[in-house]
Amino acid sequence: MNKILSLLSICLLISACHPSGHFVKINNHRFDVELADDEHERVMGLMYREEMRDDAGMLFIFPNELPRAFWMKNTLI
């Protein structure tokens, strides 16, 4: 019973660390990503975040294919 509780606790911790369920693989490296797919999320981006795991990131999704420029205001990481 203790092993089952330990396993469930680990699963809950892992799911808390990977809330979005989205990922990308680049050269066999997996990155858990958040999607910034609406205007508010794209504006906020990674502002004010003090940390991010080495295997995490954010993908900015836009409704069309146009050149973009980014200004990383208040990005602490």
Side-chain angles (χ1 to χ4, degrees):
M1 186 64 160
N2 284 340
K3 287 182 180 181
I4 293 173
L5 289 175
S6 295
L7 183 59
L8 286 174
S9 297
I10 291 170
C11 289
L12 287 173
L13 286 172
I14 290 171
S15 65
C17 294
H18 300 88
S20 71
H22 302 285
F23 68 92
V24 295
K25 283 184 80 173
I26 301 172
N27 295 331
N28 292 321
H29 296 284
R30 180 183 164 131
F31 298 90
D32 293 305
V33 295
E34 296 175 52
L35 299 181
D37 58 358
D38 67 32
E39 185 64 22
H40 176 73
E41 291 171 345
R42 288 189 294 267
V43 168
M44 288 304 295
L46 297 172
M47 286 198 305
Y48 306 109
R49 296 196 190 190
E50 295 182 3
E51 60 185 35
M52 177 176 271
R53 295 185 340 265
D54 290 340
D55 65 344
M58 179 175 280
L59 290 179
F60 290 79
I61 310 297
F62 291 91
N64 52 41
E65 295 181 23
L66 296 173
R68 307 283 181 205
F70 289 84
W71 176 30
M72 296 177 64
K73 179 181 178 181
N74 299 317
T75 303
L76 308 173
I77 54 175

